[in-house]
Amino acid sequence: MSKKIRTEAVDHLFEAILCLKDKEECYTFFEDVCTINEILSLSQRFEVAHMLRQQKTYLDIAEKTGASTATISRVNRSLNYGNDGYDMVFARMQDKNGENA
């Protein structure tokens, strides 16, 4: 069963996210939209992706993030076969911060 992500509702959500001006507004918005566990899960996956790009081992990643090997594997699959979204953001963060994102 395949779920279609490109819907009008998702467009509205992304438009709302693009209106956010800073990190504090992100906290305010996402704390209303998501549960704490959802936010923590998203941030965990992002950290896993970052560590995978730094060539860290699954064991190191699991120990530092608390992510399961299944989650690490899923993120790794996205990095290797996904839409390159993680890498796009990592590159922009590196450009913005002038450091390794």
Side-chain angles (χ1 to χ4, degrees):
M1 179 170 133
S2 176
K3 292 185 179 180
K4 182 181 171 193
I5 187 171
R6 291 184 184 266
T7 66
E8 189 174 338
V10 174
D11 282 350
H12 287 152
L13 173 63
F14 290 167
E15 288 167 11
I17 293 168
L18 290 169
C19 288
L20 301 171
K21 295 178 182 156
D22 56 29
K23 197 183 305 184
E24 197 55 44
E25 286 190 2
C26 287
Y27 274 103
T28 300
F29 179 73
F30 279 95
E31 285 179 22
D32 282 350
V33 173
C34 300
T35 65
I36 291 172
N37 285 338
E38 288 168 336
I39 296 168
L40 293 175
S41 291
L42 289 170
S43 65
Q44 181 187 63
R45 280 184 237 142
F46 191 72
E47 184 65 16
V48 166
H50 184 238
M51 292 180 75
L52 284 166
R53 280 298 183 240
Q54 292 177 324
Q55 304 297 312
K56 303 290 184 188
T57 67
Y58 275 35
L59 182 59
D60 288 341
I61 295 168
E63 286 177 356
K64 181 167 190 289
T65 67
S68 68
T69 55
T71 295
I72 298 167
S73 180
R74 195 173 313 115
V75 171
N76 195 42
R77 191 169 42 253
S78 291
L79 286 170
N80 292 322
Y81 305 108
N83 295 318
D84 298 324
Y86 283 115
D87 290 328
M88 174 184 63
V89 170
F90 293 150
R92 289 183 185 171
M93 290 175 73
Q94 185 173 356
D95 290 346
K96 180 180 178 186
N97 297 326
E99 57 190 45
N100 290 334

